[in-house]
Amino acid sequence: MKAAVLYEANKPLVIEELTLDNVRDNEVRVRVAASGLCHSDYHFMVGDMPHPTPLVLGHEASGIVEAVGSNVTTLKPGDHVVTCISSFCGGCPECLGGYSYRCDTKPTRGPQPASSPLILNGKPIYQFGQLGGFAEEMVVNINAVTKIPREMPLDCAATLGCAVITGFGAAVYGAKVRPGDTVAIIGCGGVGLNVIQGARAAGASRIIAVDIADAKLELARKFGATDFVKGGDDAVGQINELTRGGVNHAFEVIGIPATIRQGLLMLKKGGQLTMIGVPRFDAKLDLPALPFLQKEVRIVGSTMGSVSFMLAIPKLAEEYLAGRLKLDELISQRIALEQINQGYEALMGGGVARSMIVFNDVLKAASQ
Ligand code: APR
Ligand code: ZN
C-alpha cells in the first residue's frame, strides 16, 4: 500500500510503497476513504514538535473495515468507521473518571518503531499516534475507531475525527458555553470553524470570529459567526469595544503565545480562555498577572474536544444527517495522496479550511 512518509523535518513527504502487518487480537484493518490535512501534523513536518522518523503522519481518517482481530466483537468487515487519536485503555484513573481522551495508558502494540505495523523496505517505521492516516490502509487498535452510520458520506465523516470533535467539543463539553454567552474565536481554520458551530449549537448570543485571512472570516460567517475582527495587535481593542468590556469565552485555536495573550485580555469578568491550538513544544507564556485576581478570569486547555470520541462522533454524525452540523463546507478541496505537499502549502497560504485526501474508489464502494 502507498503512504506519505516524513523522513526529515522541513523536507517534503515522500510517497512510498509499504506493507502492513496483519491485525492482532484487538486491532482492525481499515481501507482509508478520506484523510484530512490537519495543522497538527504540520507541527511535526516543520519540527515545531520533534518526532523520530521515518514517520507516517495523518490522524483524521475515515474508511471501511477490512479485517478484525480475534477479540473484536463490535466491528465487522464492511463497517464504516472514523479514526481518532484519543484512543484509550478503559481502565486507568483518567478513563475511569470519565476522561478517556486523557488516557494515561493508551493501548499500543509495544515500543515504536519495532512494533509498528508499517513496514518500509523490510523495516518497521513510526506510525503517528498509533494511526498513520496518510496511507491507503491503517492497522489500528479497536479503541481508536468508532462506527458511523452507512448514510454518512465518508469524506465528510473524516472531519469528525479531529477538526470537528476538537472544536465543537471544546465549546460544548470543555468550556460548556451557555445560551446567551458572548464568544470570540481566534483562528478560524478547520478547528476554529467548529468552535464556531459548537458555540452556535450551545446558544451563544455573539460569536466573534478573529482571523488574519479574509477568506477565513468569510467562511466563519457560513458557520454561524455574528461579528468579524481582523487578527493582529488591534484585535483585543476591537473586541472590547464591540462587547463593551469583553467576552464570556475566548478560544485560541492557533497555538501561539501572542494570540493566547490576546485571548486572556479580551475576557470580561469571570470569563474563560480555552486553549485549543497546539503551541511549539518549547513555547512559554508571558501574561499579566493581575486580571486573574481582579477579574476572576481563567485559562484552561481543551484537548480532543474534552469528550470521549466514541460517545461524541456518532452523535455528531447524526447531527450532520439531521442537517444541523456543517461538514461539506469544511472541505475546501479534495486531493489525491500524491498531492499532499501541495495540500499543506495551500493550508499555510490561508485560503483553505480542510484539504481532504480522498480515495475515490473507496468512496464509490462505500456509497453502493
Ligand atoms: N491572528 C488571527 N488568526 C491567525 C493568526 C493571528 N495572529 N495567525 C494565524 N491565524 C489563523 C490562520 O489564518 C488560520 O485560519 O489561524 C488559523 C489556523 O487554522 P489552520 O491552519 O486551518 O489550523 P487547524 O487545523 O484549524 O488547527 C489549529 O489547533 O488542533 C490544533 O494543532 C492544531 O495548532 C493547530 C490549531
Ligand atoms: Zn488534527
Side-chain angles (χ1 to χ4, degrees):
M1 66 138 190
K2 276 194 242 135
V5 177
L6 176 74
Y7 283 100
E8 200 181 325
N10 294 305
K11 294 269 169 67
L13 303 178
V14 183
I15 307 299
E16 300 279 19
E17 192 64 36
L18 275 69
T19 53
L20 203 51
D21 193 16
N22 291 330
V23 286
R24 295 188 183 164
D25 294 347
N26 296 315
E27 292 179 333
V28 297
R29 182 173 178 132
V30 177
R31 179 159 290 274
V32 179
S35 189
L37 270 55
C38 177
H39 200 128
S40 299
D41 301 292
Y42 192 75
H43 293 308
F44 296 94
M45 289 164 62
V46 295
D48 282 354
M49 289 285 199
H51 196 297
T53 57
L55 167 71
V56 176
L57 287 161
H59 59 277
E60 190 185 81
S62 67
I64 306 177
V65 174
E66 281 202 318
V68 301
S70 59
N71 288 345
V72 176
T73 54
T74 48
L75 287 174
K76 56 181 187 318
D79 281 346
H80 293 189
V81 292
V82 169
T83 66
C84 189
I85 203 157
S86 41
S87 59
F88 58 94
C89 71
C92 72
E94 295 293 337
C95 285
L96 294 173
Y99 307 100
S100 65
Y101 55 95
R102 301 197 306 225
C103 176
D104 280 331
T105 48
K106 283 162 147 321
T108 72
R109 298 183 132 219
Q112 292 244 346
S115 311
S116 167
L118 302 169
I119 316 293
L120 174 62
N121 300 326
K123 282 198 193 138
I125 65 167
Y126 290 92
Q127 180 193 32
F128 177 63
Q130 320 284 328
L131 295 172
F134 294 153
E136 289 178 315
E137 288 176 84
M138 302 160 82
V139 164
V140 297
N141 189 274
I142 180 66
N143 281 357
V145 288
T146 186
K147 191 172 164 177
I148 49 157
R150 229 156 231 284
E151 311 84 85
M152 185 77 202
L154 280 173
D155 48 358
C156 287
T159 64
L160 298 176
C162 181
V164 181
I165 192 169
T166 303
F168 192 100
V172 171
Y173 300 103
K176 299 190 174 66
V177 171
R178 288 179 304 185
D181 281 351
T182 50
V183 177
I185 294 95
I186 315 169
C188 302
V191 180
L193 290 169
N194 285 293
V195 180
I196 294 175
Q197 53 181 348
R200 197 200 53 208
S205 59
R206 281 181 98 168
I207 304 177
I208 307 170
V210 185
D211 204 292
I212 45 172
D214 291 332
K216 294 294 171 57
L217 293 179
E218 213 30 69
L219 266 172
R221 184 186 303 277
K222 287 195 192 154
F223 280 79
T226 59
D227 298 82
F228 308 88
V229 168
K230 187 88 175 180
D233 295 343
D234 199 27
V236 174
Q238 283 191 58
I239 287 179
N240 284 334
E241 203 176 301
L242 271 173
T243 54
R244 297 210 181 87
V247 288
N248 299 116
H249 283 280
F251 293 87
E252 201 279 350
V253 207
I254 311 161
I256 47 183
T259 42
I260 294 170
R261 191 171 200 277
Q262 288 179 359
L264 176 71
L265 297 179
M266 63 178 68
L267 295 176
K268 69 185 293 180
K269 285 183 182 167
Q272 176 171 311
L273 164 65
T274 303
M275 275 175 58
I276 305 173
V278 180
R280 259 188 71 94
F281 71 100
D282 54 357
K284 300 233 174 2
L285 295 176
D286 177 19
L287 301 172
L290 216 46
F292 290 98
L293 202 67
Q294 283 182 332
K295 292 166 72 179
E296 286 199 335
V297 292
R298 282 188 297 268
I299 303 184
V300 297
S302 173
T303 185
M304 296 314 295
S306 307
V307 67
S308 148
F309 76 92
M310 282 211 185
L311 185 73
I313 288 180
K315 281 198 210 176
L316 288 164
E318 293 297 344
E319 286 301 290
Y320 169 82
L321 292 171
R324 287 190 293 266
L325 187 73
K326 289 184 193 296
L327 299 181
D328 298 84
E329 295 81 351
L330 277 179
I331 304 178
S332 310
Q333 55 173 0
R334 290 168 172 77
I335 60 172
L337 180 64
E338 288 75 9
Q339 295 168 298
I340 188 165
N341 293 305
Q342 294 95 305
Y344 269 109
E345 275 167 35
L347 180 70
M348 298 323 290
V352 304
R354 268 292 186 270
S355 295
M356 186 61 72
I357 295 168
V358 289
F359 297 97
N360 286 320
D361 51 333
V362 187
L363 286 175
K364 199 166 159 216
S367 64
Q368 279 162 3

